[in-house]
Amino acid sequence: MTGFNPELSADVIEVRDWVRTFARDVIRPAGAEWDEREETPWPVIQEAAKIGLYSLDFFATQWFEPSGLALPVAFEEIFWGDAGIGLSIVGTGLAAAALSANGTNEQMGEWLPRMFGTPDDVKLGAFCASEPDSGSDVGAIRTRAVRDGSDWVLNGVKTWATNGGIAEVHVVVASVDPSLGTRGQATFVIPPGTPGLSMGQKFRKHGIRASHTAEVVLEDVRVPESCLLGGPDKLEARLARARAGERTGHQAAMRTFETTRPSVAAMAVGIARAAFEYARDYAREREQFGRKIGENQAIAFLLADMATRVDVARLLTWRAAWMARNGRQFDQAEGSMSKLVAGETAVWVTEQAVQILGGAGYTREHPVERFHRDAKIYTIFEGTSEIQRLIIGRAVTGLQVR
C-alpha cells in the first residue's frame, strides 16, 4: 500500500471546484440572512439537492473515493461558504455514518435513501447520542431500550441533536444493559411518524445558527426488532462477551465519532480559511497612517501565522481522512489530532481576523464576527478539545489517562 500523498487527483480537484462554485454563488451570499433568521435554510438545501450535492450518491461516492480526500476537500469548501448552512447540508451525514457503521446492508439499503429524500422533496437525518446529563460521558447515557416481545420500547431525552425533531429518520443510541456502560448500548432507527417521538426545545445558539439543534424526547417509542442496527444476534453476542469480561470492540456512539472526526475537522478548516482570506484581503486594501495595514509587520506576521496554522490543520485532516479510507488504524489518535488542531485553529484564526479588522470586525457589516461565532463549536461538539487530548494522551502514553 502506498503512503499518504497530499497531491489531489484530477477527480478530487474537479469535485473541489464544483463545490467551491456552489459555495461561492449560492451558500456564501445567503449566509448572513439565515444566520439572522436562525432557521433551517430549506431553499439552499433544495438547491444543493438539485445539483446532486445534497444526496446519498454524493456522500457515498466521495466516501469511497480511493484517496479519502474528496469528502474533506468538499466539506472545506462548503464551510468556507458558510458554516450554519453548511451544517444543514451535511448534518444528515452524521446520521448516515452512524447507520453505516452499525447497520446491516439491508438496513442501509432501506434507511439511507429515506434520510435524503429527493430533490423535489428533501429530507433530513438526525443522530441522537448526547443527553442533558451525559455530553462527553457517553457511558452515562440514560435513554433506555427495553425488549417487549418482538419490539423495542425506548424512553429518554436526547439533546444537542442536529436536525432533531425535524428529521425524517432519527438514529438513536440507547442503553439496553446499563450495568455494562458503553458496552451495553445499542443503536436504533426510529422511522418517520413513530408515536412517542417529539421535539423538545429548539436551542438558540451562539453560532451555526442556520443549523437546527434541538432536544428529542422519546416517550414509549415502540419500534420493531428490524430497527435495531446490526440485528439481535449481533447485539446478544456482544452483550454476552461484555458480561464475560471479554473485549467487545468500539461502542456505537464512539464508532460514529471516530468515523466522522476528519470530516468535522475539514469543516473547521473551511471556516478558518474563510476568515484568513477575508482578513488578508482587508489588510491589502485598508490604509492607516498613509500605508496599507498589511505592510506593518504586526499584521503581516499575524497573517503568516494564520496561513501556516490553516495549512497545518488541513494536512492533519487529510492524513486522518486518508488513513480512515485506507484502513490504517489511528494508533496515535490521528483522527482526534485532526479534530483538535482544526477546531482550535478555527477559533484562533477567526479571532485574529476580527482583531485585524478592528472595530469593523466586531460589527455584522463584515462576516468575520460570524466566522468567529461559528468556529467555537468545533472545540465542543463531536468531542471537546479536552476529550480529544484525553484520547491522544492515552494513545501516546499507553496509559489510562483520566
Side-chain angles (χ1 to χ4, degrees):
M1 183 184 296
T2 58
F4 168 58
N5 181 1
E7 184 173 352
L8 300 179
S9 68
D11 288 343
V12 174
I13 290 173
E14 183 178 0
V15 169
R16 180 198 65 189
D17 293 345
W18 170 61
V19 177
R20 179 177 294 176
T21 298
F22 183 80
R24 182 194 65 211
D25 296 343
V26 181
I27 296 176
R28 178 162 281 195
E33 175 190 351
W34 290 99
D35 176 72
E36 290 283 352
R37 292 175 64 167
E38 299 191 51
E39 297 174 359
T40 301
W42 291 105
V44 184
I45 300 173
Q46 189 166 33
E47 289 300 311
K50 287 179 180 178
I51 67 167
L53 179 57
Y54 182 77
S55 68
L56 175 59
D57 182 66
F58 172 78
F59 281 90
T61 300
Q62 304 316 314
W63 176 255
F64 290 108
E65 184 275 326
S67 73
L69 301 184
L71 210 56
V73 165
F75 279 19
E76 178 180 332
E77 298 303 328
I78 292 170
F79 283 73
W80 171 88
D82 180 72
I85 293 176
L87 200 57
S88 289
I89 292 173
V90 309
T92 294
L94 184 60
L99 178 54
S100 300
N102 299 287
T104 64
N105 290 334
E106 292 75 16
Q107 289 169 330
M108 287 188 280
E110 179 177 2
W111 295 109
L112 286 175
R114 297 181 68 174
M115 288 184 180
F116 291 89
T118 67
D120 294 326
D121 186 22
V122 294
K123 303 295 184 182
L124 302 173
F127 179 58
C128 306
S130 295
E131 296 185 1
D133 296 322
S134 60
S136 297
D137 184 7
V138 294
I141 284 177
R142 294 183 179 179
T143 295
R144 287 295 311 276
V146 178
R147 191 190 298 273
D148 183 17
S150 60
D151 294 340
W152 287 87
V153 180
L154 284 77
N155 283 278
V157 177
K158 295 297 183 178
T159 195
W160 316 121
T162 299
N163 300 330
I166 65 171
E168 178 79 354
V169 179
H170 291 76
V171 179
V172 177
V173 179
S175 175
V176 297
D177 187 341
S179 69
L180 297 175
T182 58
R183 297 180 299 170
Q185 294 172 358
T187 308
F188 298 83
V189 168
I190 311 299
T194 300
L197 186 147
S198 62
M199 186 177 81
Q201 66 169 318
K202 176 184 175 181
F203 295 104
R204 301 190 65 186
K205 304 188 299 293
H206 179 62
I208 55 168
R209 294 177 177 177
S211 173
H212 176 95
T213 308
E215 289 182 329
V216 174
V217 180
L218 303 117
E219 297 178 299
D220 293 329
V221 172
R222 181 177 293 272
V223 296
E225 196 163 67
S226 60
C227 289
L228 168 63
L229 293 189
D233 293 342
K234 184 176 180 181
L235 173 63
E236 289 303 325
R238 180 161 56 82
L239 293 177
R241 292 196 304 272
R243 289 166 184 149
E246 300 174 8
R247 294 180 62 87
T248 60
H250 299 299
Q251 58 82 35
M254 293 311 299
R255 181 180 297 174
T256 300
F257 293 143
E258 281 188 7
T259 302
T260 58
R261 272 178 187 136
S263 294
V264 174
M267 302 174 194
V269 173
I271 299 169
R273 189 185 110 216
F276 160 70
E277 291 178 356
Y278 197 92
R280 177 201 61 197
D281 294 346
Y282 185 87
R284 287 171 172 171
E285 300 298 326
R286 174 68 169 170
E287 291 190 5
Q288 288 282 278
F289 304 105
R291 62 179 179 182
K292 309 294 187 186
I293 65 170
E295 295 179 36
N296 297 315
Q297 281 191 3
I299 301 298
F301 284 8
L302 189 54
L303 288 166
D305 285 343
M306 293 162 72
T308 300
R309 293 197 187 191
V310 171
D311 270 9
V312 168
R314 180 183 296 113
L315 286 170
L316 284 173
T317 298
W318 286 8
R319 181 186 67 168
W322 174 84
M323 291 178 69
R325 177 64 185 89
N326 288 278
R328 300 291 182 91
Q329 294 296 314
F330 289 158
D331 292 331
Q332 298 295 301
E334 289 88 349
S336 289
M337 286 182 182
S338 70
K339 202 273 185 181
L340 170 66
V341 172
E344 297 201 343
T345 293
V347 171
W348 185 84
V349 169
T350 55
E351 182 176 0
Q352 306 320 308
V354 173
Q355 191 70 23
I356 288 172
L357 269 69
Y362 199 67
T363 71
R364 295 190 181 181
E365 293 182 11
H366 296 272
V368 291
E369 65 84 27
R370 185 171 79 252
F371 298 158
H372 186 42
R373 288 188 285 107
D374 291 341
K376 183 56 189 171
I377 193 63
Y378 288 88
T379 64
I380 299 173
F381 74 173
E382 308 293 322
T384 65
S385 289
E386 291 74 20
I387 290 294
Q388 306 307 327
R389 286 187 169 91
L390 186 65
I391 294 169
I392 297 166
R394 289 173 176 173
V396 301
T397 66
L399 302 174
Q400 272 301 310
V401 181
R402 297 183 184 275

Short mmCIF file of all heavy atoms in Angstrom, two decimals, residues 7 18 62 100 116 152 168 188 194 229 241 243 264 269 272-273 296 323 330 339 372 378 395:
data_model
loop_
_atom_site.label_atom_id
_atom_site.label_comp_id
_atom_site.label_asym_id
_atom_site.label_seq_id
_atom_site.Cartn_x
_atom_site.Cartn_y
_atom_site.Cartn_z
N GLU A 7 -1.09 15.30 -2.75
CA GLU A 7 -1.40 15.86 -4.06
C GLU A 7 -2.76 15.34 -4.52
O GLU A 7 -2.98 14.13 -4.62
CB GLU A 7 -0.33 15.49 -5.08
CG GLU A 7 -0.55 16.14 -6.44
CD GLU A 7 0.61 15.91 -7.39
OE1 GLU A 7 1.64 15.37 -6.95
OE2 GLU A 7 0.48 16.26 -8.57
N TRP A 18 -16.16 22.20 -8.32
CA TRP A 18 -17.62 22.18 -8.45
C TRP A 18 -18.30 22.64 -7.15
O TRP A 18 -19.19 23.50 -7.16
CB TRP A 18 -18.06 20.76 -8.80
CG TRP A 18 -19.54 20.50 -8.76
CD1 TRP A 18 -20.50 21.10 -9.51
CD2 TRP A 18 -20.21 19.55 -7.91
NE1 TRP A 18 -21.74 20.58 -9.18
CE2 TRP A 18 -21.59 19.63 -8.22
CE3 TRP A 18 -19.76 18.64 -6.95
CZ2 TRP A 18 -22.53 18.84 -7.58
CZ3 TRP A 18 -20.71 17.84 -6.31
CH2 TRP A 18 -22.08 17.94 -6.63
N GLN A 62 -18.13 10.02 -2.67
CA GLN A 62 -16.94 10.70 -2.17
C GLN A 62 -16.31 9.93 -1.00
O GLN A 62 -15.09 9.96 -0.82
CB GLN A 62 -17.28 12.13 -1.73
CG GLN A 62 -17.92 12.98 -2.83
CD GLN A 62 -17.24 12.82 -4.18
OE1 GLN A 62 -16.02 12.85 -4.29
NE2 GLN A 62 -18.04 12.68 -5.22
N SER A 100 -24.38 3.52 8.83
CA SER A 100 -23.42 2.71 8.06
C SER A 100 -22.45 1.97 8.97
O SER A 100 -22.05 0.85 8.67
CB SER A 100 -22.64 3.62 7.09
OG SER A 100 -23.52 4.26 6.18
N PHE A 116 -32.35 11.30 2.88
CA PHE A 116 -32.08 12.41 1.97
C PHE A 116 -33.30 12.82 1.14
O PHE A 116 -33.40 13.97 0.72
CB PHE A 116 -30.94 12.03 1.02
CG PHE A 116 -29.61 11.92 1.72
CD1 PHE A 116 -29.20 10.72 2.28
CD2 PHE A 116 -28.78 13.02 1.84
CE1 PHE A 116 -27.98 10.61 2.93
CE2 PHE A 116 -27.55 12.92 2.49
CZ PHE A 116 -27.16 11.72 3.04
N TRP A 152 -38.96 -3.22 20.50
CA TRP A 152 -38.16 -2.50 21.49
C TRP A 152 -38.90 -1.22 21.84
O TRP A 152 -39.48 -0.57 20.96
CB TRP A 152 -36.78 -2.14 20.94
CG TRP A 152 -35.84 -3.31 20.83
CD1 TRP A 152 -35.73 -4.18 19.78
CD2 TRP A 152 -34.91 -3.76 21.81
NE1 TRP A 152 -34.78 -5.12 20.02
CE2 TRP A 152 -34.25 -4.89 21.28
CE3 TRP A 152 -34.55 -3.32 23.08
CZ2 TRP A 152 -33.26 -5.58 21.97
CZ3 TRP A 152 -33.56 -4.01 23.77
CH2 TRP A 152 -32.93 -5.12 23.22
N GLU A 168 -36.48 13.25 9.01
CA GLU A 168 -37.31 12.14 8.56
C GLU A 168 -36.95 10.86 9.33
O GLU A 168 -37.83 10.09 9.71
CB GLU A 168 -37.10 11.92 7.06
CG GLU A 168 -37.87 10.77 6.46
CD GLU A 168 -39.33 11.10 6.18
OE1 GLU A 168 -39.79 12.20 6.57
OE2 GLU A 168 -40.02 10.26 5.57
N PHE A 188 -30.60 2.44 17.37
CA PHE A 188 -31.88 2.14 16.75
C PHE A 188 -32.25 3.19 15.71
O PHE A 188 -31.93 4.37 15.87
CB PHE A 188 -32.99 2.11 17.81
CG PHE A 188 -32.80 1.04 18.86
CD1 PHE A 188 -31.97 1.25 19.96
CD2 PHE A 188 -33.45 -0.18 18.74
CE1 PHE A 188 -31.79 0.28 20.93
CE2 PHE A 188 -33.28 -1.16 19.72
CZ PHE A 188 -32.44 -0.94 20.81
N THR A 194 -43.28 7.72 13.93
CA THR A 194 -43.42 6.78 15.05
C THR A 194 -44.00 7.51 16.26
O THR A 194 -43.45 8.52 16.69
CB THR A 194 -42.05 6.18 15.41
OG1 THR A 194 -41.53 5.48 14.29
CG2 THR A 194 -42.19 5.21 16.58
N LEU A 229 -30.07 -1.63 14.90
CA LEU A 229 -28.99 -1.67 13.93
C LEU A 229 -28.03 -2.83 14.23
O LEU A 229 -27.58 -3.00 15.36
CB LEU A 229 -28.22 -0.35 13.92
CG LEU A 229 -28.99 0.87 13.41
CD1 LEU A 229 -28.08 2.07 13.25
CD2 LEU A 229 -29.71 0.57 12.10
N ARG A 241 -20.30 -11.29 25.43
CA ARG A 241 -18.86 -11.09 25.60
C ARG A 241 -18.59 -10.07 26.71
O ARG A 241 -17.66 -10.23 27.51
CB ARG A 241 -18.22 -10.62 24.29
CG ARG A 241 -18.22 -11.68 23.20
CD ARG A 241 -17.25 -11.34 22.09
NE ARG A 241 -17.52 -10.03 21.49
CZ ARG A 241 -18.36 -9.82 20.49
NH1 ARG A 241 -19.04 -10.86 19.97
NH2 ARG A 241 -18.54 -8.61 19.99
N ARG A 243 -20.47 -9.35 29.29
CA ARG A 243 -20.80 -9.93 30.61
C ARG A 243 -19.74 -10.93 31.06
O ARG A 243 -19.55 -11.15 32.25
CB ARG A 243 -22.17 -10.58 30.55
CG ARG A 243 -23.31 -9.56 30.46
CD ARG A 243 -24.61 -10.19 30.06
NE ARG A 243 -25.66 -9.18 29.89
CZ ARG A 243 -26.67 -9.28 29.04
NH1 ARG A 243 -26.78 -10.37 28.27
NH2 ARG A 243 -27.57 -8.31 28.93
N VAL A 264 -15.34 16.46 10.29
CA VAL A 264 -15.63 17.59 11.16
C VAL A 264 -14.44 18.55 11.18
O VAL A 264 -14.59 19.77 11.16
CB VAL A 264 -15.97 17.11 12.59
CG1 VAL A 264 -16.12 18.28 13.54
CG2 VAL A 264 -17.25 16.28 12.56
N VAL A 269 -11.54 23.71 9.16
CA VAL A 269 -10.53 24.26 8.24
C VAL A 269 -11.19 25.23 7.27
O VAL A 269 -10.63 26.30 6.97
CB VAL A 269 -9.82 23.13 7.48
CG1 VAL A 269 -8.90 23.70 6.39
CG2 VAL A 269 -9.00 22.27 8.43
N ALA A 272 -11.79 28.53 9.07
CA ALA A 272 -10.52 29.22 9.30
C ALA A 272 -10.00 29.84 8.02
O ALA A 272 -9.51 30.98 8.01
CB ALA A 272 -9.50 28.24 9.88
N ARG A 273 -10.08 29.09 6.92
CA ARG A 273 -9.60 29.62 5.64
C ARG A 273 -10.40 30.83 5.20
O ARG A 273 -9.85 31.83 4.71
CB ARG A 273 -9.69 28.53 4.56
CG ARG A 273 -8.99 28.93 3.26
CD ARG A 273 -9.21 27.89 2.19
NE ARG A 273 -10.10 28.38 1.15
CZ ARG A 273 -10.98 27.66 0.51
NH1 ARG A 273 -11.17 26.39 0.81
NH2 ARG A 273 -11.72 28.19 -0.44
N ASN A 296 2.50 46.58 7.75
CA ASN A 296 3.01 46.56 9.12
C ASN A 296 3.36 45.12 9.51
O ASN A 296 2.57 44.20 9.31
CB ASN A 296 1.95 47.10 10.08
CG ASN A 296 1.61 48.55 9.80
OD1 ASN A 296 2.50 49.37 9.60
ND2 ASN A 296 0.32 48.87 9.79
N MET A 323 -5.98 7.88 6.14
CA MET A 323 -5.82 6.70 6.99
C MET A 323 -7.15 5.95 7.15
O MET A 323 -7.20 4.72 7.05
CB MET A 323 -5.27 7.10 8.35
CG MET A 323 -3.84 7.58 8.34
SD MET A 323 -3.26 8.09 9.97
CE MET A 323 -3.20 6.51 10.83
N PHE A 330 -5.80 4.30 13.80
CA PHE A 330 -5.37 5.55 14.42
C PHE A 330 -4.58 5.22 15.70
O PHE A 330 -5.01 5.49 16.82
CB PHE A 330 -6.59 6.42 14.77
CG PHE A 330 -7.28 7.02 13.58
CD1 PHE A 330 -8.61 7.42 13.67
CD2 PHE A 330 -6.63 7.20 12.37
CE1 PHE A 330 -9.27 7.99 12.58
CE2 PHE A 330 -7.28 7.76 11.28
CZ PHE A 330 -8.59 8.15 11.38
N LYS A 339 -9.04 16.71 14.54
CA LYS A 339 -10.18 17.45 15.05
C LYS A 339 -9.74 18.49 16.07
O LYS A 339 -10.21 19.63 16.08
CB LYS A 339 -11.19 16.48 15.66
CG LYS A 339 -12.61 17.01 15.75
CD LYS A 339 -12.85 17.78 17.02
CE LYS A 339 -14.28 18.21 17.18
NZ LYS A 339 -14.51 18.99 18.41
N HIS A 372 -16.26 33.87 13.57
CA HIS A 372 -15.75 33.65 14.93
C HIS A 372 -16.79 32.92 15.78
O HIS A 372 -16.46 31.99 16.53
CB HIS A 372 -15.39 34.99 15.55
CG HIS A 372 -14.72 34.89 16.89
ND1 HIS A 372 -13.76 33.96 17.18
CD2 HIS A 372 -14.89 35.62 18.03
CE1 HIS A 372 -13.34 34.11 18.43
NE2 HIS A 372 -14.02 35.10 18.97
N TYR A 378 -16.51 24.04 17.25
CA TYR A 378 -15.60 22.97 16.84
C TYR A 378 -14.60 22.58 17.92
O TYR A 378 -13.86 21.61 17.75
CB TYR A 378 -14.91 23.34 15.52
CG TYR A 378 -15.91 23.27 14.39
CD1 TYR A 378 -16.70 24.37 14.06
CD2 TYR A 378 -16.15 22.07 13.74
CE1 TYR A 378 -17.68 24.28 13.08
CE2 TYR A 378 -17.12 21.97 12.77
CZ TYR A 378 -17.89 23.07 12.45
OH TYR A 378 -18.87 22.96 11.50
N ALA A 395 -3.31 7.39 23.83
CA ALA A 395 -2.68 6.72 22.70
C ALA A 395 -1.15 6.84 22.74
O ALA A 395 -0.44 5.87 22.48
CB ALA A 395 -3.20 7.30 21.38
#
